[in-house]
């Protein structure tokens, strides 16, 4: 059973759970499931906790997964600057793009001039997933339509009128992630630099926000993400569509076969004129990944370091070949044994007579065929570091990958001496057909790839990211802060692969405006052909962060 599924196994039997499910055969469902979103043989469902085990054990089910958190790939703050223009540029256009732009993120300022043409909103709909339920088909959140937004724009207090403030958690006026990303992708030039898709209609999914340690973080999850994709595709009807997702964490197998990633590939291979663009992540220097090869009876020690006074949960995932058998020993900072595990047995981690975590061990996860160990630590850690010792009980292959999940409230790391910078793409960007973008410094004559921009390849050896785009101190639309009633002519600068992805998404919009029936393979070929090749004489590993090279809009537009 999926480790996260085990965590939610016990509780109120009548509580409704949201899950992702992969069916053995399309349209053949187990009992006690409400189907919400459907992508071939992968569906998002709602069910009562009392039915969880019977659904999991059903012969109709190939894989059942609990929701996994999908944070935003937040911009890296490099002396972030905000700027208010004296006046906005006049944008008067009756032209509407043939292609529609979809975005899954958080914090969309519909009052910002960059998303208003002739006094009317360019948003067709905004699904606020964390909003009060309005009776929609998904069972949660609130879907706001174009007429409601236009009515709010005419009001003195538009956020209050609509009941949606995109910057409610932005206490410092740095601007929300979603508004900044959206301005890069399809800003009309009123305030931010004009994008390549200034006339595109927008369908947005706001996954929700939370104020944590001075940062705005998306608290959406894989189920809500799939529902969001379903919503955007449905609302786009038959129009050409580009979706941007600057989202993702550290974990999972990095093989492109999570159910979320399989949904991405299903959409892209069954719908013409469609592209999904994703950021590669900002995790190249995160010290959150290590890998290696273990031999029969060998013991490999992996130091796991924690922040001082960390009270947040921590998680490590270990993925290794399905033909191998490993066990785990865990030692605290005094080298006392906290756990000496038995392969494929779930066991509590005890320190000082108190339960501080759990080690979950799964044989042959159905989507990857790999064995999976999850070490989950609660907030009662009180340690500087642990040592995770892998023991090769039965080894035929030997390769293993370890990932520490993202934790913005208290990120733990591997000892830097053993951390690896390759295979650090984010957790949901490794599918076969999505377009994944890294970031470079466009102000540097050498076009240096930014130090934090994540590196491929995927764990199964494929190229990700596939290209790089500008990502250094990108000026774009700045949303209203929590204290403001309407957006001003405000810009903010952010850096990261989150800023590079929408630049590429904007270019893909140009491709589909001219050739709306292209399939994803043709879209990718056109885009990659328009890249300037990258070469790195001093560090050959950089090619794993550059892919086909630097996107060149002059070769496309």
């Amino acid at each position: 059973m999926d480790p996260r599924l085990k965590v939610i196994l016990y509780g109120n039997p009548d509580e409704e759970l949201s899950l992702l499910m992969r069916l053995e055969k399309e349209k053949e469902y187990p009992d006690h499931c409400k189907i919400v979103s459907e992508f071939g043989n992968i569906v998002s469902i709602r069910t009562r906790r009392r039915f969880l085990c019977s659904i999991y054990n059903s012969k109709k089910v190939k894989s059942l997964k609990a929701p996994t958190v999908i944070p935003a790939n937040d911009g890296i703050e490099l002396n972030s600057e905000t700027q208010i223009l004296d006046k906005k540029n006049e944008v008067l256009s009756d032209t509407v793009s043939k292609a529609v732009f979809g975005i899954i993120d958080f914090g969309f300022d519909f009052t910002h001039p960059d998303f208003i043409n002739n006094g009317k909103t360019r948003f067709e709909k905004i699904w606020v997933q964390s909003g009060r339920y309005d009776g929609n088909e998904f069972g949660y959140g609130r879907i706001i339509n174009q007429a409601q937004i236009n009515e709010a724009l005419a009001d003195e207090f538009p956020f209050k009128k609509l009941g949606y403030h995109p910057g409610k958690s932005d206490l410092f006026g740095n601007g929300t992630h979603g508004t900044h990303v959206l301005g890069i992708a399809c800003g009309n030039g009123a305030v931010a630099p004009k994008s390549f898709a200034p006339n595109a209609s927008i369908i947005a999914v706001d996954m929700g926000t939370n104020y944590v340690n001075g940062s705005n973080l998306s608290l959406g999850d894989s189920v809500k993400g799939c529902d969001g994709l379903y919503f955007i595709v449905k609302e786009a009807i038959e129009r050409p569509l580009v979706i941007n997702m600057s989202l993702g964490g550290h974990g999972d197998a990095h093989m492109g076969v999570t159910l979320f990633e399989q949904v991405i590939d299903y959409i892209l291979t069954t719908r013409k004129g469609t592209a999904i663009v994703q950021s590669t992540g900002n995790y190249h220097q995160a010290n959150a990944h290590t890998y290696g090869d273990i031999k029969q009876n060998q013991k490999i020690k992996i130091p796991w370091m924690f922040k001082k006074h960390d009270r947040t949960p921590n998680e490590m995932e270990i993925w290794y070949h399905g033909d191998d058998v490993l066990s785990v020993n865990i030692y605290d900072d005094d080298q006392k044994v906290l756990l000496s595990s038995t392969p494929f047995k779930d066991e509590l981690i005890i320190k000082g007579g108190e339960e501080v975590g759990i080690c979950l061990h799964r044989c042959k996860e159905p989507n990857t065929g790999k064995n999976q160990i999850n070490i989950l630590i609660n907030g009662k850690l009180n340690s500087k570091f642990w040592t995770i010792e892998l023991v090769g009980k039965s080894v035929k292959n030997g390769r293993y990958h370890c990932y520490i999940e993202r934790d913005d409230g208290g990120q733990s790391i591997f000892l830097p001496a053993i951390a690896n910078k390759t295979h650090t793409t984010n957790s949901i960007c490794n599918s076969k057909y999505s377009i994944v973008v890294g970031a470079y410094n466009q102000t540097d004559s050498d076009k240096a790839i930014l130090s934090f921009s994540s590196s491929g390849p995927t764990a199964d050896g494929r190229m990700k990211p596939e290209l790089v785009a500008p990502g250094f101190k990108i000026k774009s639309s700045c949303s209203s802060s929590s204290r403001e009633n309407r957006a001003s002519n405000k810009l903010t600068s952010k850096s990261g692969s989150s800023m590079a992805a929408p630049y590429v998404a904007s270019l893909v919009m140009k491709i589909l405006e001219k050739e709306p029936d292209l399939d994803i393979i043709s879209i990718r070929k056109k885009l990659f052909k328009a890249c300037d090749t990258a070469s790195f004489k001093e560090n050959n590993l950089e090619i794993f962060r550059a892919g086909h090279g630097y996107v060149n809009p002059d070769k496309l537009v």
Side-chain angles (χ1 to χ4, degrees):
M1 181 179 281
D2 172 46
R4 292 181 180 90
L5 210 56
K6 292 177 181 177
V7 171
I8 64 171
L9 193 57
Y10 301 100
N12 180 355
D14 291 318
E15 182 181 357
E16 186 175 74
L17 303 178
S18 299
L19 307 169
L20 287 179
M21 181 167 65
R22 178 181 162 203
L23 302 167
E24 287 283 1
K25 292 183 180 180
E26 193 172 328
K27 301 291 184 182
E28 293 189 10
Y29 316 111
D31 294 334
H32 310 299
C33 292
K34 177 185 177 183
I35 308 301
V36 178
S37 301
E38 190 161 11
F39 309 87
N41 67 342
I42 298 175
V43 294
S44 74
I45 69 167
R46 307 291 184 268
T47 190
R48 304 289 179 187
R49 182 179 272 111
R50 66 171 69 251
F51 303 122
L52 187 56
C53 287
S54 65
I55 293 171
Y56 175 79
N57 291 319
S58 171
K59 293 181 179 180
K60 296 179 179 180
V61 176
K62 182 71 174 179
S63 177
L64 188 67
K65 297 287 185 180
T68 58
V69 173
I70 301 179
N73 280 329
D74 251 14
I76 304 297
E77 298 297 337
L78 299 172
N79 299 320
S80 178
E81 300 172 356
T82 57
Q83 176 186 0
I84 300 178
L85 303 185
D86 292 335
K87 63 177 182 178
K88 68 177 182 177
N89 299 312
E90 287 300 321
V91 177
L92 300 172
S93 175
D94 294 323
T95 305
V96 178
S97 172
K98 296 177 182 178
V100 65
F101 187 80
I103 182 169
I104 301 179
D105 212 300
F106 71 101
F108 303 112
D109 194 339
F110 60 91
T111 71
H112 199 285
D114 286 334
F115 315 121
I116 299 172
N117 276 353
N118 301 331
K120 301 295 183 182
T121 185
R122 292 168 57 205
F123 285 95
E124 290 188 1
K125 287 188 177 178
I126 304 174
W127 179 14
V128 185
Q129 292 187 328
S130 61
R132 183 178 296 178
Y133 179 48
D134 64 359
N136 66 70
E137 63 182 288
F138 299 97
Y140 61 98
R142 177 181 170 221
I143 298 172
I144 303 168
N145 63 37
Q146 198 166 46
Q148 291 171 315
I149 297 172
N150 282 328
E151 185 180 347
L153 287 175
D155 194 89
E156 184 180 359
F157 301 102
F159 300 137
K160 185 176 181 180
K161 175 73 174 178
L162 199 60
Y164 168 60
H165 196 310
K168 65 180 180 180
S169 61
D170 180 16
L171 303 183
F172 304 110
N174 294 324
T176 57
H177 192 266
T179 296
H180 191 267
V181 167
L182 191 59
I184 298 168
C186 54
N188 62 16
V191 179
K194 190 175 182 179
S195 76
F196 293 107
N199 300 314
S201 296
I202 304 163
I203 302 171
V205 175
D206 188 322
M207 294 184 80
T209 59
N210 188 41
Y211 181 68
V212 179
N213 200 28
S215 299
N216 287 304
L217 305 174
S218 170
L219 289 186
D221 60 54
S222 52
V223 176
K224 291 179 178 178
C226 286
D227 290 345
L229 287 172
Y230 184 87
F231 169 75
I232 291 173
V233 170
K234 181 180 178 182
E235 294 296 329
I237 311 175
E238 296 181 354
R239 291 174 292 175
L241 172 65
V242 178
I243 301 173
N244 188 91
M245 292 190 293
S246 293
L247 311 167
H250 295 167
D252 277 302
H254 289 71
M255 293 175 65
V257 291
T258 64
L259 296 191
F260 189 85
E261 289 165 315
Q262 290 186 55
V263 164
I264 290 171
D265 277 347
Y266 176 85
I267 293 170
L268 295 176
T269 54
T270 59
R271 190 183 194 276
K272 285 188 176 182
T274 305
I276 294 176
V277 182
Q278 297 178 267
S279 55
T280 188
N282 303 320
Y283 310 136
H284 185 243
Q285 296 181 316
N287 293 323
H289 167 249
T290 188
Y291 75 101
D293 296 288
I294 192 169
K295 299 176 182 178
Q296 182 85 26
N297 297 321
Q298 185 182 9
K299 295 182 179 180
I300 294 178
K301 292 187 176 182
I302 302 172
W304 186 5
M305 305 174 67
F306 307 103
K307 281 193 171 182
K308 188 176 182 180
H309 306 308
D310 182 19
R311 291 294 181 267
T312 63
N314 291 272
E315 177 180 5
M316 182 192 296
E317 297 182 31
I318 303 167
W319 294 84
Y320 68 97
H321 200 275
D323 291 336
D324 297 342
V325 179
L326 305 184
S327 66
V328 173
N329 298 323
I330 300 177
Y331 305 89
D332 69 7
D333 31 12
D334 294 320
Q335 291 302 298
K336 293 182 180 178
V337 178
L338 302 180
L339 176 68
S340 183
S341 76
T342 302
F344 309 120
K345 183 180 179 183
D346 300 333
E347 298 171 276
L348 295 176
I349 304 170
I350 306 297
K351 181 179 181 182
E354 186 176 10
E355 177 187 333
V356 294
I358 188 169
C359 180
L360 306 168
H361 197 170
R362 185 179 195 185
C363 179
K364 293 189 177 179
E365 190 275 335
N367 299 293
T368 61
K370 291 186 177 292
N371 298 333
Q372 175 187 7
I373 300 172
N374 269 44
I375 302 172
L376 304 168
I377 307 173
N378 61 28
K380 303 175 183 178
L381 185 62
N382 196 27
S383 293
K384 295 179 180 178
F385 72 92
W386 282 3
T387 301
I388 309 301
E389 184 178 64
L390 301 182
V391 182
K393 294 291 188 179
S394 175
V395 179
K396 294 181 180 179
N397 178 279
R399 175 57 56 95
Y400 64 86
H401 284 271
C402 306
Y403 290 94
I404 297 171
E405 189 50 276
R406 181 170 153 182
D407 173 17
D408 295 287
Q411 183 67 55
S412 58
I413 62 171
F414 292 114
L415 184 71
I418 64 117
N420 296 105
K421 296 181 178 181
T422 58
H423 307 83
T424 52
T425 52
N426 82 57
S427 54
I428 60 167
C429 75
N430 303 292
S431 66
K432 188 174 181 180
Y433 294 107
S434 68
I435 297 166
V436 178
V437 188
Y440 75 91
N441 185 349
Q442 73 282 357
T443 67
D444 183 353
S445 59
D446 293 332
K447 294 184 175 181
I449 296 178
L450 291 167
S451 59
F452 45 76
S453 185
S454 288
S455 172
T458 62
D460 57 330
R462 291 174 293 110
M463 180 191 290
K464 294 284 179 179
E466 287 137 326
L467 72 168
V468 288
F472 180 72
K473 291 189 175 181
I474 303 297
K475 286 186 177 181
S476 183
S477 318
C478 185
S479 61
S480 307
S481 75
S482 59
R483 298 182 297 275
E484 294 175 304
N485 295 318
R486 185 186 293 268
S488 55
N489 305 326
K490 193 174 180 182
L491 292 170
T492 188
S493 64
K494 296 179 186 290
S495 301
S497 62
S498 280
M499 287 69 246
Y503 181 88
V504 171
S506 186
L507 288 169
V508 177
M509 289 285 289
K510 297 298 290 185
I511 294 174
L512 289 179
E513 284 173 349
K514 292 182 178 180
E515 299 179 83
D517 294 326
L518 286 180
D519 61 26
I520 186 59
I521 294 175
S522 301
I523 294 169
R524 286 164 60 89
K525 283 181 178 178
K526 278 184 176 289
L527 185 63
F528 302 156
K529 193 175 179 180
C531 289
D532 295 330
T533 305
S535 60
F536 305 97
K537 295 178 181 178
E538 295 183 2
N539 187 353
N540 291 333
L541 289 178
E542 288 291 88
I543 199 66
F544 292 130
R545 300 204 290 150
H548 292 278
Y550 304 91
V551 67
N552 185 343
D554 293 334
K555 292 183 177 181
L556 266 180
V557 179

